[in-house]
Amino acid sequence: MATKTVFTTGEAAKICKVSQQTIIRCFDSGQLKGFRVPGSRFRRIPREQLYIFMRDNGIPTDALESGKRKVLIVDDDQELVELITDVLERDGRFEIRSVNNGFDAGMMVKEYRPDIIVLDIMLPDINGKEVCQRVRSDRTMDDVKIICISGMVEEDRVSELRAAGANDFMHKPFEVERLLERMCQLLDIEVPAR
């Protein structure tokens, strides 16, 4: 289910397990930050504000946390992994794990069950195409999205990857913000405004 980034007062009340009146009161007193929909009196609460409100009031945040999308980054370029992790953490809707080789990727996919894999196809041990094939050979992972990244540019290799089960492909170097946009599109969640 898609991770929502903005909640109505009713949704916020359900998540916090309090009455809608309580949420409205906290909103109107400024305790819970949010905004009104232009031209209406509807109140809306951004996810990060709801998180802060829950944390400050000792309300367990699991209900919000469970909505995070799980990302597995498979790349042996540590700097790039840090860069991607940084952008995704700032976005706030992702839980991130990373591994630097194909063998660990195979193990981690089974254990972590990511929603999306960002996969460098030039790994030190096995190539990314094999990782794609392994994921795709497991019927329980049909919903896992795979974005392949690589510095190599031969078009026939790209179509091979798509045939092996990759959903998308990005040439290195790329802007991490573009990667985030593609991930959001694949996961069918809101693409952040740039």
Side-chain angles (χ1 to χ4, degrees):
M1 73 139 219
T3 306
K4 290 186 59 106
T5 47
V6 176
F7 299 92
T8 62
T9 51
E11 289 167 335
K14 269 202 194 77
I15 291 169
C16 296
K17 299 191 171 61
V18 296
S19 75
Q20 192 170 356
Q21 284 318 112
T22 302
I23 293 288
I24 289 172
R25 208 171 48 239
C26 293
F27 183 102
D28 291 348
S29 71
Q31 240 186 305
L32 175 55
K33 304 260 186 294
F35 59 92
R36 285 178 190 268
V37 177
S40 78
R41 48 193 185 73
F42 296 119
R43 302 165 179 87
R44 290 289 181 274
I45 299 135
R47 183 190 179 86
E48 56 279 14
Q49 292 300 336
L50 187 58
Y51 182 84
I52 293 165
F53 172 77
M54 291 170 80
R55 197 190 54 205
D56 292 351
N57 289 282
I59 302 167
T61 52
D62 326 348
L64 259 190
E65 288 302 313
S66 62
K68 286 198 176 185
R69 295 313 179 87
K70 294 174 162 188
V71 183
L72 176 60
I73 304 170
V74 187
D75 199 324
D76 60 338
D77 175 347
Q78 205 40 54
E79 271 181 43
L80 181 62
V81 170
E82 280 174 21
L83 202 64
I84 296 174
T85 303
D86 201 44
V87 169
L88 296 183
E89 278 179 348
R90 274 207 308 271
D91 181 273
R93 292 176 290 172
F94 301 96
E95 183 186 314
I96 305 117
R97 301 257 176 101
S98 62
V99 292
N100 58 14
N101 62 65
F103 178 77
D104 288 348
M107 308 284 288
M108 184 62 95
V109 165
K110 285 194 167 31
E111 185 187 313
Y112 180 53
R113 308 202 77 76
D115 293 297
I116 189 161
I117 302 170
V118 177
L119 174 65
D120 182 358
I121 53 181
M122 306 302 274
L123 295 167
D125 51 357
I126 59 175
N127 72 35
K129 189 173 127 191
E130 272 182 65
V131 179
C132 283
Q133 285 164 333
R134 284 185 193 177
V135 172
R136 292 298 174 229
S137 65
D138 182 339
R139 304 299 310 168
T140 65
M141 305 224 203
D142 283 353
D143 292 341
V144 178
K145 303 288 186 246
I146 304 173
I147 297 186
C148 288
I149 55 177
S150 169
M152 66 111 204
V153 279
E154 298 126 44
E155 280 311 311
D156 51 338
R157 288 292 300 277
V158 176
S159 49
E160 256 177 54
L161 285 166
R162 288 191 187 274
N167 299 90
D168 204 347
F169 178 83
M170 289 185 78
H171 294 298
K172 286 181 177 179
F174 52 78
E175 275 183 67
V176 178
E177 284 71 18
R178 289 280 313 133
L179 174 66
L180 174 60
E181 283 171 19
R182 297 268 190 99
M183 289 170 67
C184 290
Q185 283 160 355
L186 282 176
L187 292 168
D188 203 18
I189 57 180
E190 235 169 283
V191 173
R194 293 194 54 158

